[in-house]
């Protein structure tokens, strides 16, 4: 039988990076092909090439055996290719039916034939087993409901090939199960499905074949029936770079030197917990940090093991912390985690499982809706980013442009951000003014110490390369001898040398006695720097591993965690 | 207040509301597509001047009306070029239109029409209904005020184009993903906005005053902007807001001319400031929350994030 | 370190101005008049003699201050369209205080100025509070506040409680004139060159100092450059937004006070006061690239053009006094559309932003 969709040696590079490198596959009617791989393996780029968002540099796409050129979403649609996006492209105040027909509206005379639209959408919904009320406004639907509208839009337009990009990432387990059944149903009806996911377990249940992408290459295609998930996980992981063994955490630290300067009122707070923290704690296999924690309802106490010194409270302790994400949905669910002094804890997991919110809660940018955040034993749950920073929390954010740097300001000014009102940056009590010379001196010193190029305090931050921008962020955040360092994807977009430099800085901080929390999708990175790995899933700690765990073990923990 | 004063209040509302109502409708159309039109004032000014000029040049108020709408359309094209093509800040682009209208119209008024003291001679007016003691009702303006918002509402609600129009102001990415052109849709919206503002402006000389004055439109474009917000970005809402605003002004005139008792002791300034104050309170959520379209004022960058 | 790069932001407005001048010259030629004669008449009207200088100074004074009222909040990412309302608030506050305070002579003028600035700051801060607390876009709220100020002042204060009682025996419709001690001292025996101009220049210096040399100014600029970053490093963004709007309001109000106390309106708040300096401030700030020095230069230029415009109407020149307005409009249109004209400007990106393969074009959706 002729494959309905075929990719032949499809390639696309972005600068020096080959996001897709000579990828070939074919897809039959009624078949579900799963594309699996780590973040950045090229899955999303491949879908973008098929849907016409990007043009390939080389290779070709064939539909029903005919070579086609796809110049945009409209071309893809005309060829019967449709995609269900990870981030929905819906118009919230419009109804489900209006969203489905947008751009190809049925008409009656000059008017929109609303009744026909609703009838047709209801018909497609019935036929595909997707319960959607065509007249419901999309902003009143759940995440799963919105996704059903997205699927209906693709089906209503007559797609024969439907691509799903991480479709279960945002769904509850119940909704995810329903979606997988729907996908099987679509395949039974003769459609061909491309299914992109991290989660090997659901891949195994829904797919006929599994294609494994790694660093832009398609490394293997296996039948899903009876596939060895350990082997699949091992194939997903890049093997070329052997991870250097992490430096051992220094057990004895300058205790107290790095204690945050807490407000006087804080110290005397009669809440009992703060004082009990200093008491000797039961040892045991679970580690000192966890022993004194009240057992959270979720029972994630195993997450809190830490090689921290016995008598000092951990640098950072989260106890049963919950919070909402930007859209108001629960992001952290009673998460407990302790980062000991001198310890580097790596947070692994699939994007969107609470990593961003965890970092935001730890740095005061997001308010916890429940639970307790402690910094070196002091309750800081209600403090904002400024107060936390003053108490020794450093933040290396995910996005340098939105959280790390002000591109329009100079390097010297960026290095003074957040502490510009205190010496040495500021002089004068009654008329506080910037001490430009001191700012330049500090900047020159930090530029030298952190190796920022160009060595010009007056250079605009926006003009620096990504690696040098990150060095500026590190210089600002780490030069204040922080108690806790929260680093989110700290090496994203950096080259090898810059990456190594960032890792060295983080190790340095840990050796100095700071607790370091690092969030990354790059397992190699986590294994290279972290003393301990925790896997985040659905806003909870789903598991924990030593960095020495094998690639396969780690991959499986992450991929199969849900 | 007697019945006759009530009736004359009604007539004055129906007479004075149309320019603001049409400009506000223009504002609604452009903001629903995601472009804030701060330039309404300038577009009304162009429309008023070219409306008067057209009527004087042709001797026909109808041609004047057409000229006013065309001038508004042209100023809409300028705003579209700046805000969509050059991707300028929409506010800066609107301010530019206003400033240009200020200088250019003042100059043309003297150079082309030779107007002394900033006022033209009498211009041909659109037909009006004489209502005896109640005054004259500018029937064309009133009719347009009542018909066009209804038509626009129908257009937005019931046509495929209207659906895309609303979608592009809420989530342009969805429209682009559905294969429609965001720039073209928004461009059409700004052009329509300009034409309606020009039409509204042209009513000032052609339906209300019978002449063009240099101070026109004297802030009515900004009142229209407030009416857009107070009418919660719907055509009929904006019409209601324009009528309400005109009513508050008319009431103030009635009260100050013949009123007695408590009401007349309230200073005029409060009545005049009331529309703006209420709009501000509505925006702040104290008087029914006014929520703009999600992508209102957000420039479209097809490759951005 | 590199002075060229620091002045680079002033280049597009300069090009726009030059182009606007050229376009206006061509237009003047096209209607059969002489651009050279127009330029000469403008220069004469702006600078020839103490009367002309005084007019230029008076207008430049107001424009510097209303320009700063827009430029300073702009650096924090706020677009203050409310300069006109804040200008009027300052004017009426100065007119009232200058009539009523009656303090000893040396502190009368500073007190009146401070009072006016405080009133303008409060009026400006309103928009800041609405933005910080209620998420109301400052552009819309300041436009509304402009008209609220205008109507309350015109049709309530000036028409009612503050109306001149007619004790002078002659009714002029405005408020009563301010006391002599509250007036800005004239610097020349002739004309209206007063202490206002040095004060406005000092205000520009102050604005520059605040922005460039204080932690507060650095925080404002950080907010304008990247609000998420400002928030992440612990800057209290809502409070700073309110303060930036208050400062803007104070500058605009000082412009209003300078008009009243500097003799621009016979030392009283006139009936139906309509000088549009607050609106002009937007153009001044745009032409001045949002920089205090640029604002001073732009205000000086347009102050001179406005003052000199009287000379245009001379029969030998035969032009309308609205030409400076046209020039201003054309310049702002060109600045707004600079992406169309600057050939070497940022071209269309051919590569996706940041991490390849990480984001689809529509990732991040919504807005």
């Amino acid at each position: 039988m002729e494959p309905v969709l075929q990719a032949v040696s499809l390639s696309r590079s972005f600068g020096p990076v080959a996001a897709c490198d000579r990828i070939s596959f074919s897809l039959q009617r009624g078949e579900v092909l799963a594309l699996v791989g780590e973040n950045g393996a090229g899955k999303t780029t491949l879908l973008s090439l098929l849907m016409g968002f990007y043009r390939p540099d080389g290779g070709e796409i064939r539909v029903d055996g005919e070579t086609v050129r796809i110049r945009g979403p409209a071309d893809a649609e005309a060829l019967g290719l449709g995609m269900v996006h990870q981030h929905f492209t819906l118009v919230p105040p419009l109804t489900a039916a209006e969203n489905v027909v947008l751009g190809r509206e049925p008409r009656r005379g000059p008017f929109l034939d609303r009744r026909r639209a609703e009838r047709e959408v209801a018909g497609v919904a019935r036929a595909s087993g997707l319960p959607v009320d065509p007249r419901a406004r999309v902003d009143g639907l759940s995440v799963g409901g919105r996704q059903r509208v997205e699927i209906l839009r693709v089906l209503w337009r007559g797609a024969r090939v439907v691509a799903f990009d991480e479709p279960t990432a945002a769904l509850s387990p119940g909704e995810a199960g329903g979606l997988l059944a729907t996908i099987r149903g679509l395949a039974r009806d003769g459609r061909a499905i491309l299914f992109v996911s991290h989660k090997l377990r659901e891949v195994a249940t829904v797919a006929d074949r599994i294609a494994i992408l790694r660093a832009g290459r398609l490394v293997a295609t296996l039948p899903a029936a009876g596939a060895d998930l350990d082997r699949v996980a091992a194939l997903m992981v890049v093997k070329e770079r052997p991870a250097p063994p992490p430096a051992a955490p220094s057990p004895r630290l300058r205790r107290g030197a790095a204690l945050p300067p807490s407000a006087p009122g804080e110290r005397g707070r009669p809440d009992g917990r703060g004082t009990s923290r200093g008491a000797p704690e039961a040892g045991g296999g679970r580690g000192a940090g966890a022993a004194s924690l009240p057992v959270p309802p979720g029972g994630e106490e195993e997450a809190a093991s830490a090689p921290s010194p016995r008598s000092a409270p951990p640098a950072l302790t989260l106890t049963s912390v919950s919070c909402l994400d930007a859209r108001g949905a629960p992001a952290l669910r009673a998460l407990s985690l302790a980062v000991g002094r001198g310890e580097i804890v790596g947070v692994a997991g699939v994007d969107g499982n609470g990593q961003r919110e965890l970092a935001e809660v730890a740095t005061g940018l997001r308010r916890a809706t429940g639970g307790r955040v402690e910094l070196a034993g002091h309750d800081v749950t209600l403090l904002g980013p400024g107060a936390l920073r003053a108490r020794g929390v450093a933040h290396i954010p995910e996005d340098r442009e939105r959280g790390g740097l002000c591109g329009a300001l100079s390097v010297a000014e960026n290095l003074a951000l957040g502490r510009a009102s205190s010496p040495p940056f500021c002089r004068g009590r009654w008329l506080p003014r910037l001490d430009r010379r001191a700012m330049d001196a500090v900047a020159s010193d930090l530029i030298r110490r952190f190796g920022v190029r160009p060595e010009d305090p007056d250079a605009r931050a926006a003009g620096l390369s990504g690696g040098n921008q990150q060095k500026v962020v590190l210089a600002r955040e780490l030069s204040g001898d922080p108690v806790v360092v929260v680093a989110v994807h700290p090496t994203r977009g950096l080259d090898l040398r810059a990456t190594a430099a960032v890792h060295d800085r983080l190790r340095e901080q840990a050796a100095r006695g700071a607790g370091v929390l690092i969030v990354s999708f790059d397992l190699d990175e986590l294994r290279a720097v972290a003393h301990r790995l925790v896997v985040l899933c659905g806003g909870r700690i789903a598991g924990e591993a030593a960095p020495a765990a094998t690639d396969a073990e780690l991959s499986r923990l992450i991929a199969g965690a849900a | 207040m007697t019945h006759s004063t009530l009736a004359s209040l009604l007539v004055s509302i129906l007479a004075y509301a149309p320019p603001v109502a049409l400009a506000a409708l223009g504002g609604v159309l452009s903001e629903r597509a995601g472009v804030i039109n701060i330039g309404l004032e300038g577009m009304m000014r162009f429309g008023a001047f070219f409306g008067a000029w057209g009527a004087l040049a042709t001797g026909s108020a109808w041609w004047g009306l057409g000229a006013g709408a065309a001038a508004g359309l042209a100023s809409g094209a300028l705003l579209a070029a700046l805000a969509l093509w050059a991707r300028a800040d929409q506010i800066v682009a609107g301010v530019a239109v206003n400033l240009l209208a200020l200088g250019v119209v003042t100059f043309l008024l003297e150079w082309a029409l030779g107007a002394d003291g900033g006022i033209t001679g009498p211009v041909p007016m659109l037909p009006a209904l004489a209502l005896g003691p109640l005054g004259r009702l500018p029937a064309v303006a009133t009719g347009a005020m009542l018909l066009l918002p209804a038509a626009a509402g129908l257009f937005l609600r019931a046509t495929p184009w209207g659906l895309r129009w609303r979608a592009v102001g809420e989530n342009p990415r969805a429209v682009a993903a559905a294969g429609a052109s965001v720039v073209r849709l928004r461009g059409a919206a700004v052009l329509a906005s300009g034409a309606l503002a020009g039409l509204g402006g042209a009513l000032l000389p052609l339906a209300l005053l019978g002449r063009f004055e240099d101070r026109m439109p004297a802030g009515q474009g900004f009142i229209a902007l407030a009416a857009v917000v107070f009418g919660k970005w719907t055509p009929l809402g904006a019409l209601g807001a324009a009528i309400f605003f005109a009513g508050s002004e008319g009431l103030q005139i009635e009260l100050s001319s013949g009123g007695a008792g408590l009401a007349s002791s309230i200073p005029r300034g409060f009545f005049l400031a009331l529309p703006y104050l209420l709009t501000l309170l509505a925006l702040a959520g104290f008087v029914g929350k006014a929520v703009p379209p999600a992508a209102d004022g957000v420039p479209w960058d097809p490759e951005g994030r | 370190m590199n002075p060229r790069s620091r002045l680079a932001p002033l280049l597009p407005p300069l090009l726009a101005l030059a182009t606007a001048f050229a376009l206006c010259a061509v237009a003047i030629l096209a209607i059969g008049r002489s651009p050279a004669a127009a330029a000469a008449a403008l220069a004469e009207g702006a600078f020839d003699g103490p009367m002309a200088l005084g007019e230029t100074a008076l207008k430049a004074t107001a424009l510097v201050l209303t320009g700063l009222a827009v430029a300073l909040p702009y650096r924090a990412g706020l677009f203050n369209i409310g300069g006109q309302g804040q200008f009027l608030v300052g004017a009426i506050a100065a007119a009232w205080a200058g009539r009523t305070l009656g303090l000893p002579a040396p502190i009368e003028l500073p007190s009146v100025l401070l009072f006016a600035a405080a009133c303008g700051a409060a009026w400006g801060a309103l928009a800041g509070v609405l933005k910080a607390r209620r998420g109301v876009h400052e552009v819309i709220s300041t436009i509304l506040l402009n008209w609220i100020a205008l109507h309350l002042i015109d049709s309530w204060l000036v028409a009612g409680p503050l109306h001149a009682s007619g004790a002078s025996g002659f009714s002029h419709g405005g408020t009563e004139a301010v006391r002599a001690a509250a007036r800005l001292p004239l610097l020349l025996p002739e004309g209206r060159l007063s202490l206002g101009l040095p004060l406005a220049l000092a205000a520009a210096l102050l604005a520059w100092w605040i922005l460039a040399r204080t932690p507060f100014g650095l925080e404002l600029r950080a907010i304008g450059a990247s609000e998420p970053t400002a928030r992440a490093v612990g800057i209290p963004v809502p409070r700073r937004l309110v303060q930036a709007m208050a400062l803007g309001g104070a500058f605009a109000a000082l412009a209003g006070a300078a008009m009243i106390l500097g003799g621009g309106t016979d030392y009283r708040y006139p009936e139906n006061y309509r000088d549009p300096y607050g609106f002009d401030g937007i153009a001044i700030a745009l032409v001045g690239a949002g920089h205090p020095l640029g604002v001073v230069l732009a205000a000086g230029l347009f102050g001179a053009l406005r003052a000199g415009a009287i000379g245009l109407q001379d029969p030998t020149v035969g032009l309308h006094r609205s030409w400076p307005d046209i020039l201003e409009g054309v310049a702002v249109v060109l600045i707004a559309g600079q992406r169309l004209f600057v050939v070497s400007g940022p071209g269309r990106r051919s590569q996706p932003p940041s991490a390849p393969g990480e984001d689809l074009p529509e990732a991040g959706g919504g807005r």
Side-chain angles (χ1 to χ4, degrees), chain A residues 323-331 357 366 369:
Chain A
C323 76
L324 305 177
D325 67 12
R327 292 174 188 168
E357 290 78 11
R366 187 169 292 278
T369 52

Side-chain angles (χ1 to χ4, degrees), chain B residues 265-286:
Chain B
S265 66
I266 301 171
R268 280 178 61 219
F270 288 124
F271 280 102
L272 292 170
L274 193 66
Y276 305 102
L277 191 64
L278 285 174
T279 305
L280 201 55
L281 291 176
L283 266 176
F286 296 116

Side-chain angles (χ1 to χ4, degrees), chain C residues 230-260:
Chain C
R231 219 181 283 279
V233 299
I235 294 169
V237 173
R239 196 184 317 158
R240 293 288 176 268
L241 293 182
V242 174
Q243 287 163 337
M245 285 304 292
L247 267 174
F251 282 124
L254 280 176
M259 287 312 286
I260 305 297

Side-chain angles (χ1 to χ4, degrees), chain C residues 104-123:
Chain C
I107 59 163
E108 168 88 354
L109 176 60
S111 306
V112 173
L113 287 174
L114 270 181
F115 177 75
C119 290
W123 197 253

Side-chain angles (χ1 to χ4, degrees), chain A residues 357-541:
Chain A
E357 290 78 11
L358 170 63
E360 287 175 350
V361 165
T363 52
L365 284 165
R366 187 169 292 278
R367 188 60 55 88
T369 52
R372 186 180 160 87
V373 182
E374 283 168 46
L375 186 64
H378 298 274
D379 188 348
V380 295
T381 314
L382 297 177
L383 297 186
L388 276 182
R389 167 169 300 264
R391 283 166 167 76
V393 175
H395 182 200
I396 296 151
E398 178 177 5
D399 185 341
R400 284 183 290 274
E401 295 287 316
R402 299 176 54 81
L405 285 176
C406 290
L409 302 188
S410 73
V411 169
E413 287 170 334
N414 270 291
L415 287 170
L417 280 186
R419 47 185 176 174
S421 310
S422 48
F425 302 103
C426 176
R427 275 186 314 160
R429 220 176 127 197
W430 300 112
L431 206 59
R433 55 199 186 276
L434 293 175
D435 186 337
R436 284 268 162 187
R437 209 173 301 166
M439 278 173 67
D440 276 357
V442 170
S444 299
D445 177 49
L446 289 176
I447 284 171
R448 212 183 50 250
R449 271 170 53 201
F450 284 79
V452 179
R453 297 286 178 279
E455 294 179 327
D456 177 6
D458 281 347
R460 268 165 43 105
L464 270 56
S465 71
N468 282 298
Q469 287 184 345
Q470 191 71 332
K471 284 178 193 167
V472 173
V473 174
L474 288 168
R476 182 183 68 224
E477 298 297 320
L478 303 184
S479 57
D481 286 353
V483 183
V484 167
V485 179
V486 178
V488 187
H489 303 303
T491 60
R492 187 186 267 178
L494 303 189
D495 62 21
L496 280 176
R497 258 177 57 185
T499 299
V502 171
H503 290 168
D504 285 345
R505 294 295 173 187
L506 294 177
R507 289 194 196 98
E508 231 172 74
Q509 290 298 315
R512 196 183 51 73
V516 179
L517 187 70
I518 171 172
V519 175
S520 177
F521 295 146
D522 184 349
L523 275 184
D524 284 337
E525 163 159 63
L526 293 179
R527 296 168 79 252
V529 295
H531 304 134
R532 184 161 66 96
L533 301 181
V534 295
V535 175
L536 213 54
C537 185
R540 293 192 176 96
I541 305 278

Side-chain angles (χ1 to χ4, degrees), chain C residues 222-328:
Chain C
I223 295 169
S226 168
E227 198 178 312
T229 299
R231 219 181 283 279
V233 299
I235 294 169
V237 173
R239 196 184 317 158
R240 293 288 176 268
L241 293 182
V242 174
Q243 287 163 337
M245 285 304 292
L247 267 174
F251 282 124
L254 280 176
M259 287 312 286
I260 305 297
L261 308 178
T265 58
D266 283 336
Y267 299 105
R268 62 171 56 88
Y269 193 102
E271 188 175 26
N272 294 326
Y273 185 46
R274 290 287 184 277
D275 276 350
Y277 289 113
F279 287 125
D280 285 329
I282 302 168
I284 298 296
L286 289 173
V287 174
H291 190 285
L293 176 66
V295 165
V296 167
L297 295 176
L301 175 68
F302 281 103
L305 288 173
R306 288 279 161 76
I310 301 165
L312 292 179
Q313 287 170 311
D314 188 285
T316 58
V317 185
L319 284 168
H320 193 257
R321 64 180 153 73
S322 60
W323 276 97
D325 295 339
I326 297 177
L327 186 77
E328 189 179 278

